[in-house]
Amino acid sequence: QEQVVESGGGLVQAGGSLRLSCAASGTVFAIANMAWYRQAPGKQRELVALITRGLTTNYTDSVKGRFTISRDNAKDTVYLQMSSLKPDDTAVYYCKMEIGGYIYWGQGTQVTVSS
C-alpha cells in the first residue's frame, strides 16, 4: 500500500533555510502531480508549491523567489527548498501526491521560524 512520509522540518531563525523531503513508498503507478501545502494555526490549509511529472512548477505568490520545489521521479520523492524564511512561514507542511488517480497526504512536518 502506498505511503507518503515527510521529513526535514524544524526550528529556524528568520532569514534561514530549510529543506523538506517527501518520499512515497509501495507505489505501483507513476506519480503525477506532487505538491506541498501548509496550514498555520487558525488558518486554512493552502497550496505552497506544485510540480507536475513534466517538471512544470507553480508557487503561491508569498513564496515566489524564496522557495523551490523539485522532484526525483526515480526516487518517488519531492523536495521543497525554503530560503529567506519569515515568521509568517511558520506552519505544518504537508506533502500531497497523486498516484494512480488517488490522492495521498503525508502526516505533516512542523516548520517554525523565529523572529
Side-chain angles (χ1 to χ4, degrees), residues 25-80:
S25 60
T27 57
V28 176
F29 300 101
I31 302 174
N33 294 340
M34 297 178 170
W36 288 96
Y37 285 71
R38 66 185 179 187
Q39 187 166 19
K43 295 186 177 181
Q44 289 188 333
R45 190 173 298 189
E46 65 169 350
L47 174 65
V48 176
L50 178 146
I51 184 167
T52 68
R53 187 163 184 83
L55 305 182
T56 299
T57 58
N58 187 31
Y59 298 90
T60 191
D61 286 346
S62 63
V63 307
K64 285 180 181 177
R66 301 188 297 122
F67 290 12
T68 302
I69 189 170
S70 60
R71 63 188 284 170
D72 184 335
N73 291 331
K75 296 181 179 180
D76 289 338
T77 300
V78 61
Y79 306 97
L80 186 67

Side-chain angles (χ1 to χ4, degrees), residues 91-111:
V92 177
Y93 284 70
Y94 297 90
C95 169
K96 185 181 87 170
M97 295 193 182
E98 300 173 16
I99 307 172
Y102 293 89
I103 301 296
Y104 295 86
W105 289 92
Q107 81 286 356
T109 185
Q110 177 70 45
V111 172

